Amino acid sequence: ATAIAAALEHNNSLLQLHLSNNQIGDGGATVIGEQSTSLEVLNLKNNQIGDSGATVIGAALRQSASLQVLNLSDNQIGDDGASALGAALELNRSLLELNLDSNRIDDCGTMGIGWALERNTSLQSLDLSNNVLGDDGMSAIRTALKLNTSLVRLGLYGLVIGDEGVSAIGAVLELNTSLQWLNFGSNQIGHVGATAIGAGLEHNTSLQDLNLEDTLIDHDDATVIFEALKNSAVKSLTFGARVGKGGTGDATVAALFASLEHNDTLRTLFIHSDNIRTLGTEFLWTRRLNECLLPFHQVVWPPPSVAFQGNDAVYTFLEEVKAKSAPLTRSRAMFVGFGGSGKTTLKTALQLRGAGALALLQQLQRTIIETIKLQWTEIDLREWVDTDLAQESGFFSSCPKTRGLTGKRWLRMSASDVSRVFGHPDTFTSEEVVSKMAAVLEFLTSELGGVRHDEVPYKVLLNIPHVW
């Protein structure tokens, strides 16, 4: 770094210097910063630069009339370094792009930058993503962007802000008329924040690219944003909520696609989600876009053989569905598969949704009782308990009182009998086995005449395989 700085001292021609992914540290940043006043582009990404190095670079930036792009991302700059850079921005009129992504800047450092933005009239792009600024820092950004008219791009991805900070961005969108690109993904955007962003979009006339991926926005709040987008200037949207909060699933994307019917502005749509399984005919509205990307690899409808061929194949398929769809009232079906693969389970699940569900349950009850009573020996009972209930070889034999137990005797057991025989502390799974077994016995001994089929715990039947 010292040798490079010495060369820069007498430089009259070099305009760009890229030194990313090195280890020049504060010492290297200091000597290079002191000699960087003639450069137009300086890239010092990922160089272990801290506050002292950033402070020297800030001092050089005060004097520079040529530097247009400064990349200090992936370093160790904290509040002091950020404040020094902010102080430089108050005086500098050449810098167009400042990248501070992935540093250690919190609210204090952000306030210094915000203060500078109120006075700076040249900076067009600022990236503060993946720092530790919170609500106070976002408040400073909001105040700055009420006055700033030069900033076009703002990166705020992956911060630690709450409702107050998110609402600050909504207020920015309402008032600012210059911001065109906003990356606000991977933030804690919930109901309050989504409402604020929706309100801001309704009044904003400049924003063209919006990133809201990996947030906590649920279905209802997402629809508020989709409605606001109809009358906005946004041309590109990246969207996706985390599965842990319900995620961006079928209903949410259906609402998004349907909103495109009345959206004449949006041209690019990127959906990031692990929770999309079905695409309805609403997806046909995406044909008016220039580009639409979503995770087809997890879609089960349309069939994967169609979805894997891309948007055009899906459009053709859904057009056919839309043109020829009709209620299916009666059809024949044959299920083919190995023993124990679930053919009977699937058939029963389908039949339980029909008008004869109660009669089917009663028939199942009688069949299961007769099979267990007449055919289940101790060996059969042991296989059922070990394989299907405990999923643990030897569990049945580890219960001291199971010796000689047959299906006929088991059917006469009460819930307390089951707990006494199969519930013991020696095996981790005993509690689960007792619970499943008691549920099966309750189903087999209950009166089903007054029970609707959807009130019967169907999962109980899944605990009695190979007998019905």
Side-chain angles (χ1 to χ4, degrees):
T2 303
I4 294 174
L8 289 175
E9 185 177 1
H10 305 289
N11 170 57
N12 293 315
S13 59
L14 186 67
L15 299 179
Q16 299 189 17
L17 179 60
H18 298 269
L19 293 175
S20 60
N21 303 311
N22 286 286
Q23 299 181 8
I24 66 172
D26 286 333
T30 297
V31 294
I32 289 176
E34 290 172 346
Q35 304 298 331
S36 64
T37 53
S38 62
L39 295 173
E40 294 182 358
V41 177
L42 178 58
N43 183 354
L44 297 178
K45 175 182 178 180
N46 191 22
N47 268 291
Q48 300 181 2
I49 299 171
D51 285 335
S52 60
T55 299
V56 174
I57 293 174
L61 187 60
R62 286 171 175 254
Q63 304 174 23
S64 175
S66 61
L67 193 64
Q68 299 177 21
V69 177
L70 176 58
N71 187 347
L72 293 172
S73 61
D74 293 296
N75 280 293
Q76 301 165 10
I77 301 170
D79 289 338
D80 290 343
S83 297
L85 292 169
L89 288 176
E90 291 188 49
L91 303 175
N92 181 279
R93 293 296 178 266
S94 66
L95 195 68
L96 304 178
E97 178 180 332
L98 176 59
N99 189 343
L100 294 172
D101 181 4
S102 299
N103 277 281
R104 301 174 179 176
I105 303 168
D106 65 19
D107 288 338
C108 292
T110 307
M111 290 178 185
I113 292 175
W115 180 266
L117 287 178
E118 293 183 32
R119 296 156 178 76
N120 184 282
T121 58
S122 60
L123 193 68
Q124 298 179 9
S125 177
L126 173 64
D127 196 343
L128 292 171
S129 299
N130 298 304
N131 280 282
V132 290
L133 60 106
D135 291 342
D136 290 341
M138 291 306 305
S139 179
I141 295 294
R142 175 189 60 192
T143 301
L145 293 185
K146 287 181 180 179
L147 302 173
N148 183 283
T149 58
S150 65
L151 201 67
V152 175
R153 296 172 61 91
L154 179 59
L156 298 172
Y157 184 95
L159 305 179
V160 292
I161 57 176
D163 286 336
E164 182 180 344
V166 178
S167 298
I169 286 298
V172 166
L173 292 177
E174 283 196 49
L175 301 172
N176 185 276
T177 58
S178 62
L179 200 63
Q180 299 179 18
W181 186 95
L182 174 63
N183 186 346
F184 207 42
S186 194
N187 277 294
Q188 306 296 309
I189 304 176
H191 172 69
V192 174
T195 302
I197 290 175
L201 288 172
E202 286 184 0
H203 299 90
N204 185 277
T205 59
S206 63
L207 194 68
Q208 299 182 20
D209 193 311
L210 176 62
N211 186 331
L212 292 176
E213 66 176 309
D214 192 28
T215 66
L216 303 180
I217 300 173
D218 64 18
H219 172 75
D220 293 337
D221 294 328
T223 57
V224 171
I225 293 177
F226 301 157
E227 284 297 312
L229 286 171
K230 291 180 181 179
N231 300 313
S232 74
V234 175
K235 297 181 179 179
S236 178
L237 173 66
T238 302
F239 188 85
R242 300 169 195 167
V243 173
K245 284 290 182 178
T248 299
D250 298 343
T252 304
V253 294
L256 173 55
F257 298 149
S259 72
L260 297 177
E261 179 182 1
H262 305 289
N263 189 321
D264 297 323
T265 307
L266 197 69
R267 288 293 172 264
T268 304
L269 177 61
F270 303 105
I271 298 177
H272 295 189
S273 174
D274 294 325
N275 203 30
I276 301 173
R277 299 294 180 266
T278 303
L279 297 178
T281 54
E282 300 90 354
F283 183 70
L284 293 170
W285 288 109
T286 64
R287 284 187 300 187
R288 65 195 308 176
L289 304 177
N290 295 335
E291 187 175 13
C292 177
L293 296 179
L294 72 159
F296 280 125
H297 66 278
Q298 61 197 18
V299 171
V300 296
W301 180 262
S305 57
V306 175
F308 287 170
Q309 297 181 50
N311 289 17
D312 289 340
V314 173
Y315 292 146
T316 301
F317 178 89
L318 292 178
E319 280 288 8
E320 292 293 318
V321 170
K322 185 177 182 180
K324 299 178 180 179
S325 62
L328 182 64
T329 56
R330 186 177 180 84
S331 180
R332 294 182 181 274
M334 177 182 291
F335 303 116
V336 180
F338 292 106
S341 62
K343 302 184 297 299
T344 305
T345 302
L346 174 58
K347 181 193 75 172
T348 305
L350 293 172
Q351 291 177 326
L352 283 174
R353 301 178 72 87
L358 181 57
L360 176 63
L361 281 172
Q362 292 171 334
Q363 179 186 347
L364 280 171
Q365 188 185 54
R366 291 192 298 270
T367 302
I368 294 170
I369 290 173
E370 289 302 312
T371 301
I372 294 176
K373 183 186 297 183
L374 299 177
Q375 299 180 17
W376 275 30
T377 65
E378 180 184 340
I379 295 175
D380 297 312
L381 197 61
R382 180 190 300 120
E383 182 180 358
W384 173 54
V385 172
D386 286 355
T387 303
D388 297 306
L389 298 188
Q391 297 180 352
E392 177 182 304
S393 178
F395 175 86
F396 185 88
S397 299
S398 72
C399 302
K401 300 179 181 181
T402 57
R403 184 178 180 85
L405 187 62
T406 64
K408 185 176 181 178
R409 285 181 54 200
W410 176 81
L411 281 171
R412 294 199 297 265
M413 293 176 67
S414 64
S416 59
D417 291 335
V418 170
S419 180
R420 177 173 51 82
V421 173
F422 294 96
H424 61 94
D426 298 336
T427 307
F428 177 74
T429 53
S430 62
E431 183 177 346
E432 185 175 0
V433 170
V434 170
S435 175
K436 290 180 179 179
M437 193 176 288
V440 171
L441 278 171
E442 181 181 359
F443 168 74
L444 294 178
T445 58
S446 63
E447 292 289 338
L448 299 179
V451 180
R452 290 185 6 234
H453 72 277
D454 55 356
E455 292 176 341
V456 175
Y458 174 68
K459 64 181 180 180
V460 171
L461 297 176
L462 300 180
N463 293 326
I464 325 174
H466 314 308
V467 295
W468 49 283

